[in-house]
Amino acid sequence: MLSTISTPAVDITEGPVDAQWLEQSAAQTGIPARALQAYTAAAERANADAPTCRIGWNTVAAIGFVESAHGSHGGGSLTPAGQANRSIIGPSLNGDSFAAIADTDSGAFDGDAVWDHAVGPMQFIPSTWQQAGRDGNGDGEADPLNIDDAALSAAAYLCAGGRELTTDRGWTDAVLSYNQSDSYVRQVRDQANVYDARSAPTG
């Protein structure tokens, strides 16, 4: 389930996330604290790598909610190390209800050697993970089932191409790059706004 690291490993778990803000915001938003820690650190790291991006943690969190309910889809949860305690594998991309994407990983990520499936709490297609997967916890491996790795990979993916997510066009283009659906964009936007409104004040 691991990809080759093509970018320098970082440990976003060591980032300066304010513990009091994290506890309060987790309670107020309903986001598990371990997931919120990953989303916040991922946004901070992505912005350090691409200063013009200015992605908000709430955008990363909204995608995490839409894609897997923060790793809880199917009754799962995240371990203290940020690992999904059970595989999170999306539907077969066999052209029936979703786009047809033939297997690209010999079933290594999703267990299907015929069709691809999105995997992990941020639901990366295996071919995309092989290109965009990053090591967010500094263990030298990029694992789509680890929330630190998946969140950092998602944030960096959204920031790619010099996007500026503080503009409506830049934000919309970024989310469309993740899922080319107008209804998906609306769902992520609504959830990101809810998280922003419900989170604890900073400073």
Side-chain angles (χ1 to χ4, degrees), residues 100-111:
I101 303 179
D103 174 67
T104 59
D105 66 330
S106 299
F109 287 88
D110 53 25

Side-chain angles (χ1 to χ4, degrees), residues 3-10 45 49 130-136 140-142 152-153 156:
S3 71
T4 302
I5 302 299
S6 59
T7 55
V10 296
R45 180 64 195 195
D49 291 343
Q130 292 287 4
Q131 296 179 356
R134 296 189 61 182
D135 173 18
E141 298 173 324
L152 178 59
S153 300

